[in-house]
Amino acid sequence: MTSWCHTQASFDELAFLALWHSWAIDAQRPTHLHVVAHTALPLQAHAVLHATADHPELRPLAQQLAEQCWGLLPGMHRLRFTHAHDPNAHLLLTLCVGAHDAWPEFAQVLRSHPTGPCPIPHDTAALSHRTVTVIGAGIAGAGTARALAERGWQVTVLDAGDTPAAGASGLPVGVVAPHTSHDDSGVSRLSRAGLRYMAQTMRRLLVEGVDWGSTGVRERRLPGKTRRGGVPLSWLHEDAHTANDWTHKAPPPAPDDAYWHPHGAWLRPVQLVRALLDHPNIHWQGNAHVDALKCITDEASPPSQWQVLQGHTVLAESARVVLAAGPGSAALIATATTDGSAPRINPLRGQISWGLMADVPAGAHMPATPVNGNGSFVHNISSPNGPAWYTGATYDRIHGDARLLDADHAENLERLQALEPDTAAALAPLFATVGTDSPRVHGWAGVRCGVHDRLPMTGRVPDAPEGLYMNAAMGSRGLTLGLLCGELLAAQWHGEPLPIEARLAKFLDATRFQPKA
């Protein structure tokens, strides 16, 4: 398994497509071919297609590239293409869009990744066997496992549940949409990169209309939200055409505070987790109640090995361990650090309310697409008992377990009344049955987790021996950022171009809370 890089100081559509074609037909191709290129202006689909007018063999590839030529705002973008006959082989185009003087990091990216093999970091190159244990089988854990398995690692995934996605990633349905802000904050930029990566993955692994839906999402900017909404001024002027691919004001009859995210989607996370784990290099083991980690160092045969323990039983042994165990990650870190320290990872319980469409009164108003804001609403999603609607979720910092609370159903109805008043009025009689012998509204609860800056923690665990990593603390952004963070970790392990700008990667670094030397 190899990673190779090819650099274009100025993006050339025809040269890129010819390289792609040569890679695709080469039996000795690298499994990950990275093309890093700069372009002052966003790619245009019509220009990509026109470039192949005299090259019919490149036309199918041009069509694939043209389909991803959307939303290329100033900054870095990762476009991903999978080989038609080799699911482990990927071509990854990292586009640096914008003027060099406005984005000085572009020059550094181009310099750091010259054409040739990606320089594998010393600690990875020193491993005689690329084995890794991932603890946690949610979106973050499964995404990390898949990213490493496709790069040749033998991956063991351990989870306390008896099925994958038994924790917070087990919610029946979720909504993925970009975060926006007036200053286009780091969170906003990360959310766009995460949504693009999620969309690429869902199209590759899931069945649209069954496991996920590219429906778009309407967002309400409601009073009481902790963040200031809106979009950057440039999105209303010089970048308006490209920005509209991501977000724009929702047209009437939507309320004046509504925005439309054309590439927003709904998905069933459990189906995605199962698809991610379906790889020959991944071994999943449930009912694994890990309670300690132990680093085994043998000076005669470095590097060290890690043992994953349940009591005195060794559940797995590998060169590296990645913690993606949600709220349980901190306790496991404390068993491995030199001083017993661990980051403060806070549990965040959430409950959704759901019911069957068959119980909804005839003629009830239902929004045409998923809606989010302070909570979300999605309907006509398949369930074991028939098509269903879902709304929520709550944010509970008091209870650290996945109990169901009647009070949370009332809170979800209150959120829905602000989000979609007519829908809430139609469903209110169903919510009135909560607590009776025949409830028409049911619940699902899970426990997410986060840290105080509300960003994931991805990378090497501080104050621990070499080989211990984490990809956790996703908070309420696991569906958007979980896969992106797993890909970021895999790229770092292999010296590959990062899927996001370096300054954004620093926001996610698991060592960011360490005192500066």
Side-chain angles (χ1 to χ4, degrees):
M1 299 289 178
T2 57
S3 297
W4 191 275
C5 194
H6 182 90
T7 300
Q8 289 187 348
S10 180
F11 184 71
D12 183 319
E13 293 96 336
L14 194 58
F16 168 75
L17 294 169
L19 176 66
W20 184 356
H21 183 264
S22 298
W23 170 81
I25 62 176
D26 184 356
Q28 303 299 315
R29 61 183 164 269
T31 55
H32 285 68
L33 174 60
H34 288 266
V35 178
V36 181
H38 171 259
T39 176
L41 299 173
L43 303 188
Q44 300 297 323
H46 65 85
V48 169
L49 295 174
H50 179 74
T52 60
D54 297 326
H55 301 274
E57 75 282 4
L58 303 180
R59 192 75 177 184
L61 305 182
Q63 186 63 47
Q64 292 184 54
L65 176 58
E67 289 171 358
Q68 293 201 35
C69 289
W70 57 269
L72 299 176
L73 289 163
M76 273 180 51
H77 301 270
R78 170 63 58 82
L79 310 187
R80 183 182 179 95
F81 308 93
T82 301
H83 192 279
H85 305 295
D86 183 355
N88 287 323
H90 303 282
L91 185 148
L92 302 107
L93 172 59
T94 302
L95 273 178
C96 302
V97 181
H100 276 293
D101 56 353
W103 295 87
E105 60 258 55
F106 288 174
Q108 178 61 32
V109 171
L110 294 169
R111 282 196 304 268
S112 300
H113 299 284
T115 297
C118 294
I120 299 176
H122 174 73
D123 53 0
T124 300
L127 299 177
S128 56
H129 300 287
R130 293 190 180 181
T131 56
V132 60
T133 302
V134 177
I135 302 175
I139 289 283
T144 304
R146 182 63 176 242
L148 294 171
E150 290 181 347
R151 289 168 170 84
W153 290 72
Q154 296 299 313
V155 186
T156 299
V157 179
L158 304 179
D159 195 89
D162 55 6
T163 61
S169 295
L171 75 164
V173 66
V175 172
V176 183
H179 177 286
T180 60
S181 54
H182 280 294
D183 60 353
D184 202 23
S185 66
V187 171
S188 297
R189 302 181 70 83
L190 284 166
S191 75
R192 294 199 298 274
L195 174 55
R196 188 185 288 274
Y197 192 83
M198 274 289 287
Q200 294 165 355
T201 303
M202 291 188 294
R203 290 187 187 280
R204 180 165 65 101
L205 299 181
L206 300 182
V207 178
E208 188 167 3
V210 177
D211 302 324
W212 77 292
S214 181
T215 53
V217 171
R218 177 160 55 83
E219 179 182 357
R220 295 285 306 278
R221 295 291 165 78
L222 299 171
K225 291 290 286 182
T226 57
R227 65 179 174 87
R228 185 184 179 198
V231 298
L233 285 177
S234 65
W235 287 25
L236 305 176
H237 301 288
E238 64 267 28
D239 296 325
H241 179 75
T242 305
N244 282 346
D245 292 339
W246 288 106
T247 300
H248 55 81
K249 291 283 287 185
D256 187 59
D257 63 4
Y259 282 78
W260 176 244
H261 306 300
H263 289 275
W266 63 265
L267 78 149
R268 298 167 65 192
V270 174
Q271 302 302 104
L272 179 58
V273 169
R274 290 174 178 168
L276 289 166
L277 295 176
D278 185 14
H279 190 281
N281 287 352
I282 297 176
H283 169 69
W284 181 83
Q285 179 182 335
N287 298 305
H289 299 278
V290 180
D291 53 29
L293 305 171
K294 185 177 182 180
C295 182
I296 307 297
T297 302
D298 184 352
E299 294 182 0
S301 57
S304 57
Q305 288 284 106
W306 283 88
Q307 289 183 344
V308 181
L309 305 173
Q310 180 177 329
H312 296 291
T313 301
V314 178
L315 297 177
E317 188 167 330
S318 56
R320 289 183 177 174
V321 171
V322 179
L323 288 164
S329 299
L332 292 176
I333 289 173
T335 69
T337 52
T338 54
D339 57 359
S341 62
R344 182 174 179 179
I345 301 177
N346 303 308
L348 180 62
R349 175 187 160 277
Q351 179 174 319
I352 65 171
S353 304
W354 68 275
L356 296 176
M357 296 301 298
D359 292 330
V360 176
H365 170 78
M366 292 283 144
T369 65
V371 181
N372 75 342
N374 194 7
S376 65
F377 181 80
V378 189
H379 67 95
N380 268 324
I381 305 298
S382 61
S383 80
N385 298 312
W389 56 265
Y390 300 86
T391 192
T394 57
Y395 292 85
D396 179 359
R397 294 176 172 84
I398 298 175
H399 303 99
D401 57 15
R403 68 185 70 185
L404 292 174
L405 300 173
D406 288 352
D408 279 28
H409 288 306
E411 182 179 337
N412 281 332
L413 177 58
E414 183 178 347
R415 290 171 181 268
L416 185 59
Q417 287 168 341
L419 195 65
E420 285 289 312
D422 293 341
T423 301
L427 298 181
L430 304 183
F431 276 90
T433 66
V434 170
T436 69
D437 293 336
S438 301
R440 292 293 180 266
V441 172
H442 314 281
W444 178 93
V447 182
R448 302 156 289 190
C449 67
V451 292
H452 66 82
D453 67 357
R454 303 173 71 181
L455 287 170
M457 297 187 72
T458 302
R460 183 171 296 175
V461 173
D463 299 321
E466 161 58 27
L468 182 60
Y469 295 79
M470 66 187 299
N471 188 25
M474 298 289 152
S476 58
R477 299 191 177 102
L479 297 184
T480 305
L481 298 182
L483 295 191
L484 177 68
C485 291
E487 180 70 9
L488 171 64
L489 190 66
Q492 291 169 335
W493 285 15
H494 293 83
E496 299 174 1
L498 302 184
I500 53 178
E501 297 146 31
R503 56 177 166 169
L504 297 182
K506 290 180 180 178
F507 292 160
L508 307 174
D509 191 339
T511 66
R512 64 184 181 270
F513 301 129
Q514 291 294 100
K516 298 296 187 288

